[in-house]
């Protein structure tokens, strides 16, 4: 096997280090050796000053580049041999060049390997280095308490630019270099390295180290003053926090603010609970439950029931959906939040300045409140693409589909994502002839291909026509018949329909409450930093309006950070953590995932191993007549660390919780395998998946030895 250049480099480096230690070259870099030979070194420098400087420079670069001990002693020697001025000049450049070579070696040898294995976990660090890395490196360079060689190697693993590293090192190490070189000019008086830096000098260097951070804070304050220059800040505030939007993010933000006794106003212009309660999670799951019941009746022979039927009315099913919404509504009601201490305003909010919000109440009253901070939680809405002819027909979306009381005989669902797929199956089970149209090669494109295949196969078995790789071109009405014209492989196809449901994604609500007038930076969403601050620091955003995930549970997750940061900045701030994010699509078979799947692992070049357990082997799944699907777990190659999990099957979203907990708290498959799971339950699937991983990683050499041991015991 041919060794790569990197391995040859490592072999050569190890050989050099072994030679250096074997010949005990370190004795020449000791304080005692330098003091003993000080006179000879000074004589050598006097006789050949240029050669002495060049050789010393090269030696210092080599010691620093190889991260060898002795750089501090050589810095003292520079002072003793060359004096304060020339010694500082030589060491300053030699140390920076050597450090940069060590930085480059670390990057060349280790960065790709480290980033490939820890890329997801290092994302926050990488972003921080790209944003503020120069400041932090400068701080570390000013304080000699931090081992410089470790800084060199660690920074090589980050995205910091080489010229930035060199420039900051050149300037940052100058103060400590001057202290050590100056000490070297008094070499005869020094007995140990620890005696070089007095408490006063160390304190001064520490202050120098703090200086960049202070300067950074001052710069931020100066920039903030520039941001706020257009407005006059009030001397006092009516509220600590105003929250715009009463969906998941807004409700949790207001709840937390009230819980910590802040004075908070929540403004909602439509219905409390937002999309999740009124047009999203709750009504869709109620509809899916009714549709699933009907599907089980049709499967009666599978359960030993000779025949079964159901007489139902579509309008009554939709009325039940609204009853379910009504039963959940008190959880998100004005009365509940008022009781918690939140001032709830039913009306429209407009941000007038970073500290003022104007509220147009539903009863016509106008109110202007001052506030120390604002959280935007305005949510998102269904995206309706500009398809020619779409304005000729009534377009259903996840917002207005709940008003239907007559079942569409022929329904076209445009979109193969989670929302489109859930509604496709539900309406098909309720008796509509459904055609699902998706322009991508498969539905549920963010999931692994075998997931899409399982769901597509189930859809087709239930009579759904799934048209993937079909692009919607236009809508036509011919002789009173509505048609969606699609293209597939260059050929046109006409799909007739009685109702058209568009479910191709959602767009953030960015207009109508003052963002444009204030100049808050937006793209597809409101642009926020890691603390959920917008371009105006005391205005925050959370939930669908901020992204990057459009889930109710991530909106609530972000809301905690938005609330705490808005209320306690500048005293304390927390960076939002997206390290373990679960989600689910409530089709049948149900699909649930946390963190990486194979598609994302390949895109991010994260090495992984796959362990799969088929639910067709699980006793409870067989007994329930749901023996389909699988548990798939991605782990670090050769290690018991979970990178992600995908579950497809009955109650997949519930089963996923064990992996979410495991990943959040660093629990591996060994611990899951060692945990008692009730028999017979679907949750045993997680244990059996862990068992498959364990068998694949069994210590074969040890087992062979144990086999011989047992043979010996048998005689």
């Amino acid at each position: 096997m041919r060794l790569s250049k990197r391995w040859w480099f490592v072999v050569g480096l190890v050989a050099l280090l072994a030679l250096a230690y074997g010949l005990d070259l370190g004795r020449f870099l000791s304080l005692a050796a330098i003091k003993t030979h000080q006179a000879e070194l000074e004589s050598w420098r006097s006789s050949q000053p240029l050669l002495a400087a060049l050789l010393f420079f090269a030696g210092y670069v080599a010691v620093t580049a190889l991260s060898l001990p002795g750089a501090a002693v050589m810095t003292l020697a520079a002072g003793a041999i060359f004096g304060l001025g020339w010694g500082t000049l030589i060491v300053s450049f030699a140390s920076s060049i050597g450090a940069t070579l060590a930085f480059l070696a670390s990057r060349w040898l280790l960065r790709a390997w480290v980033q490939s294995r820890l890329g997801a976990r290092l994302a926050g660090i990488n972003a921080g280095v790209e944003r503020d890395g120069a400041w932090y490196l400068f701080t570390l360079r000013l304080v000699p308490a931090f081992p410089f060689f470790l800084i060199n190697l660690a920074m090589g693993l980050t995205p910091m630019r080489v010229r930035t590293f060199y420039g900051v090192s050149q300037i940052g190490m100058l103060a400590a270099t001057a202290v050590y070189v100056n000490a070297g000019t008094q070499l005869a008086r020094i007995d140990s390295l620890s005696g070089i830096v007095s408490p006063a000098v160390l304190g001064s260097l520490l202050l120098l180290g703090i200086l960049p951070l202070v300067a950074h804070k001052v710069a931020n304050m100066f920039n903030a003053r520039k941001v706020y220059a257009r407005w006059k800040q009030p001397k006092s505030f009516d509220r600590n926090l105003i929250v715009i939007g009463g969906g998941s993010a807004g409700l949790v933000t207001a709840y937390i603010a009230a819980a910590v006794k802040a004075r908070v106003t929540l403004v909602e212009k439509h219905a409390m609970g937002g999309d999740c309660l009124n047009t999203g999670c709750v009504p869709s799951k109620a509809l899916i439950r009714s549709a699933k019941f009907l599907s089980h009746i049709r499967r009666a022979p599978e359960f030993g029931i000779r025949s079964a039927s159901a007489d139902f009315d579509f309008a009554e099913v939709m009325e039940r959906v609204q009853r379910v919404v009504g039963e959940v509504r008190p959880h998100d009601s004005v009365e509940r939040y008022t009781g918690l201490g939140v001032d709830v305003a039913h009306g429209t909010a407009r941000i007038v300045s970073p500290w003022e919000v104007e509220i147009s109440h539903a009863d016509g009253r106008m109110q202007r409140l001052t506030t120390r901070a604002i959280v935007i939680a305005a949510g998102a809405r269904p995206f309706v693409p500009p398809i020619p002819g779409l304005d000729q027909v009534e377009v259903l979306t996840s917002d207005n589909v709940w008003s239907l009381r007559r079942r569409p005989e022929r329904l076209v669902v445009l979109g193969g994502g989670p929302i489109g797929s859930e509604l496709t199956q539900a309406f098909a089970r309720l008796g509509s002839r459904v055609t699902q149209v998706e322009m991508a090669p498969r539905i549920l494109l963010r999931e692994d291909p075998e997931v899409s295949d399982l769901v597509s196969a189930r859809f087709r078995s239930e009579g759904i026509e799934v048209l993937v790789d079909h692009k919607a071109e236009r809508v036509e009405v011919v002789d009173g018949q509505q048609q969606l014209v699609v293209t597939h492989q260059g050929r046109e196809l006409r799909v007739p329909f009685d109702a058209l449901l568009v479910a191709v994604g959602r767009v953030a609500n960015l207009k109508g409450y003052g963002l444009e007038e204030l100049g808050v930076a937006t793209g597809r969403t409101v642009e926020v930093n890691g603390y959920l601050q917008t371009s105006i620091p005391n205005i925050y955003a959370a939930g669908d309006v901020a992204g990057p995930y459009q889930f109710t549970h991530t909106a609530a997750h972000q809301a905690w950070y938005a609330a705490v940061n808005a209320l306690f900045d500048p005293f304390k701030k927390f960076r939002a953590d997206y390290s373990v994010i679960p989600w689910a699509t409530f089709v049948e078979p149900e699909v649930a995932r946390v963190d990486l799947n194979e598609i994302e692992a390949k895109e991010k070049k994260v090495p992984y191993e796959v362990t799969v357990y088929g639910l067709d082997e699980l006793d409870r799944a067989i007994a329930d007549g749901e023996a389909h699907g699988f548990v798939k777990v991605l782990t670090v190659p050769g290690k018991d660390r979970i990178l992600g999990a995908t579950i497809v099957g009955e109650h997949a979203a519930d089963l996923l919780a064990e992996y979410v907990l495991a990943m959040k708290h660093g629990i591996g498959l060994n611990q899951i395998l060692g945990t008692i799971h009730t028999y017979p339950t679907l949750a045993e699937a997680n244990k059996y998946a862990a068992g498959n991983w364990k068998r694949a990683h069994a210590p074969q050499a040890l087992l062979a030895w144990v086999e011989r041991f047992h043979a010996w015991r048998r005689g």
Side-chain angles (χ1 to χ4, degrees):
M1 183 179 68
R2 294 181 60 186
L3 291 176
S4 67
K5 292 180 180 180
R6 287 182 174 84
W7 279 111
W8 279 118
F9 182 85
V10 171
V11 170
L13 181 60
V14 171
L16 282 174
L17 293 174
L19 181 64
Y21 282 105
L23 298 175
D24 194 21
L25 298 180
R27 69 182 187 275
F28 298 113
L29 297 177
S30 67
L31 183 59
I34 298 295
K35 292 179 69 172
T36 300
H37 299 286
Q38 181 178 0
E40 298 171 31
L41 292 170
E42 289 180 354
S43 175
W44 173 55
R45 188 265 307 161
S46 299
S47 60
Q48 302 183 69
L50 183 58
L51 179 62
L54 289 174
L55 289 177
F56 188 91
F57 183 91
Y60 200 108
V61 169
V63 167
T64 310
L66 295 172
S67 302
L68 295 173
V73 173
M74 288 192 72
T75 306
L76 293 175
I81 300 169
F82 300 101
L84 178 61
W86 281 105
T88 301
L89 184 66
I90 292 170
V91 172
S92 177
F93 282 95
S95 61
S96 298
I97 293 172
T100 304
L101 291 174
F103 168 91
L104 290 171
S106 172
R107 171 163 293 182
W108 184 56
L109 286 172
L110 299 172
R111 183 186 175 196
W113 182 82
V114 170
Q115 292 289 345
S116 67
R117 282 157 177 77
L118 302 174
R121 294 176 179 266
L122 294 177
I125 294 175
N126 290 337
V129 169
E130 289 180 342
R131 185 181 61 253
D132 298 319
W135 288 99
Y136 293 121
L137 177 60
F138 191 35
T139 300
L140 294 172
R141 289 304 197 199
L142 285 171
V143 184
F146 296 100
F148 284 176
F149 79 94
L150 287 179
I151 297 171
N152 303 337
L153 300 179
M155 286 296 176
L157 306 177
T158 71
M160 179 173 284
R161 295 182 178 181
V162 178
R163 64 185 180 209
T164 300
F165 178 85
Y166 175 82
V168 172
S169 298
Q170 182 75 60
I171 299 170
M173 290 192 292
L174 187 59
T177 297
V179 169
Y180 274 79
V181 171
N182 182 62
T185 62
Q186 309 296 321
L187 191 63
R189 301 179 184 178
I190 297 174
D191 296 320
S192 68
L193 291 176
S194 61
I196 297 170
V197 184
S198 66
V201 173
L202 187 60
S204 299
L205 290 173
L206 186 61
L207 287 174
L208 281 173
I210 295 172
L211 182 62
L213 296 178
V214 174
H216 191 36
K217 290 289 185 183
V218 171
N220 285 342
M221 291 173 61
F222 179 74
N223 289 334
R225 288 177 66 89
K226 289 172 61 180
V227 169
Y228 294 122
R230 294 165 47 195
W231 304 281
K232 183 178 180 181
Q233 181 174 340
K235 294 181 179 179
S236 62
F237 301 93
D238 302 316
R239 301 289 187 269
N240 297 100
L241 184 64
I242 291 179
V243 183
I244 300 174
S248 178
L251 291 173
V252 175
T253 300
Y255 176 90
I256 292 170
V260 297
K261 306 305 179 184
R263 195 169 184 193
V264 54
T265 291
L266 172 66
V267 187
E268 170 55 53
K269 67 178 179 179
H270 293 309
M272 292 281 283
D275 296 331
C276 181
L277 172 63
N278 298 289
T279 61
C281 313
V282 175
S284 66
K285 301 315 164 282
L287 184 70
I288 287 168
R289 182 64 186 91
S290 294
K292 186 172 184 177
F293 177 78
L294 288 173
S295 76
H296 283 178
I297 291 174
R298 296 186 185 107
R299 292 172 56 194
E302 294 180 30
F303 301 100
I305 310 300
R306 185 173 300 167
S307 67
S309 62
D311 182 19
F312 75 97
D313 182 85
F314 179 80
E316 291 177 7
V317 171
M318 298 303 281
E319 286 299 326
R320 174 192 174 266
V321 168
Q322 293 307 315
R323 287 199 304 274
V324 171
V325 172
E327 288 179 28
V328 177
R329 183 165 284 128
H331 302 167
D332 299 342
S333 65
V334 172
E335 293 76 16
R336 180 181 180 226
Y337 277 80
T338 300
L340 292 170
V342 178
D343 171 36
V344 181
H346 184 202
T348 302
R350 186 171 68 89
I351 306 172
V352 180
S353 81
W355 305 282
E356 291 178 289
V357 175
E358 188 175 81
I359 303 171
S360 302
H361 290 266
D363 60 8
R365 288 183 301 116
M366 296 294 293
Q367 183 182 25
R368 181 173 289 206
L369 295 174
T370 58
T371 179
R372 184 167 284 281
I374 299 168
V375 171
I376 299 167
R381 65 188 184 280
F383 171 64
V384 178
I387 299 173
L390 201 61
D391 57 348
Q392 300 180 58
V393 300
E394 180 184 4
V395 176
L396 298 175
T397 68
S398 58
D399 272 2
N400 63 9
V401 70
W402 312 110
S403 63
L404 283 179
R405 292 298 180 269
R406 177 178 295 179
R407 180 185 64 199
E409 292 302 316
R410 297 173 300 175
L411 174 67
V412 169
V413 178
L414 187 59
I419 296 173
S421 295
E422 288 180 0
L423 293 175
T424 287
Q425 189 176 47
F427 273 90
R429 288 177 165 182
L430 289 167
S432 295
R433 297 206 316 270
V434 182
T435 302
Q436 185 179 25
V437 178
E438 170 55 56
M439 66 184 298
R442 54 191 178 86
I443 63 173
L444 300 180
L445 191 63
R446 295 179 64 184
E447 308 298 340
D448 286 334
E450 64 268 36
V451 177
S452 299
D453 292 343
L454 266 175
V455 176
S456 295
R458 183 61 171 264
F459 279 14
R460 291 187 173 106
S461 73
E462 294 183 6
I464 299 167
E465 187 175 12
V466 181
L467 301 180
V468 294
D469 200 21
H470 284 66
K471 182 182 179 183
E473 297 290 352
R474 63 188 181 277
V475 171
E476 293 181 353
V477 180
V478 180
D479 297 330
Q481 180 170 272
Q482 302 172 125
Q483 301 175 343
L484 177 67
V485 181
V486 299
T487 54
H488 173 63
Q489 297 179 349
R491 185 171 58 90
E492 276 195 355
L493 175 69
R494 295 173 182 272
V495 184
F497 63 85
D498 299 310
L500 176 64
L501 173 62
V502 176
V504 294
R506 296 175 64 80
V507 292
N509 292 321
L510 303 177
K511 297 181 181 293
Y513 50 94
L515 296 188
E516 306 98 323
E517 293 82 357
L518 263 68
V520 173
T522 61
R524 296 182 64 181
T525 59
V526 176
E527 294 180 6
V528 295
N529 62 16
Y531 302 102
L532 300 178
Q533 291 173 295
T534 68
S535 55
I536 298 179
N538 73 310
I539 300 179
Y540 295 74
D544 290 359
V545 76
Y549 302 97
Q550 291 189 335
F551 307 130
T552 296
H553 48 279
T554 51
H557 179 70
Q558 285 182 320
W560 184 91
Y561 292 95
V564 172
N565 291 342
L567 292 170
F568 295 103
D569 183 45
F571 305 104
K572 182 63 178 176
K573 286 195 298 186
F574 297 89
R575 185 175 293 276
D577 176 17
Y578 302 114
S579 59
V580 182
I581 301 292
W583 62 84
T585 302
F586 295 92
V587 290
E588 194 172 6
E590 199 165 281
V591 179
R593 175 154 70 93
V594 57
D595 254 33
L596 293 181
N597 61 4
E598 288 197 76
I599 290 176
E600 290 184 349
K602 289 172 183 175
E603 288 175 352
K604 297 177 180 179
K605 298 181 180 178
V606 177
Y608 65 91
E609 292 180 349
V610 177
T611 301
V612 178
Y613 173 75
L615 294 177
D616 56 339
E617 300 178 11
L618 186 66
D619 293 359
R620 181 55 185 269
I622 294 170
D624 286 352
E626 304 295 350
H628 53 260
F630 56 82
V631 176
K632 180 163 70 170
V633 186
L634 272 60
T635 52
V636 174
K639 294 185 179 180
D640 186 11
R641 186 166 72 78
I642 302 170
L643 295 171
T646 298
I647 303 178
V648 181
E650 191 75 355
H651 293 293
D654 299 316
L655 299 180
L656 188 72
E658 188 166 16
Y659 289 107
V660 178
L661 178 71
M663 293 184 67
K664 180 66 177 178
H665 297 285
I667 297 171
L669 292 173
N670 262 320
Q671 289 94 326
I672 291 177
L673 180 61
T675 301
I676 297 174
H677 292 66
T678 306
Y679 178 88
T681 61
L682 295 173
E684 285 186 294
N686 294 338
K687 180 175 182 175
Y688 293 141
N692 285 353
W693 177 88
K694 187 69 173 180
R695 280 191 292 275
H697 294 82
Q700 298 301 327
L702 177 60
L703 290 176
W705 184 89
V706 172
E707 184 180 17
R708 291 195 296 271
F709 168 75
H710 289 310
W712 169 76
R713 292 200 71 187
R714 292 194 304 269

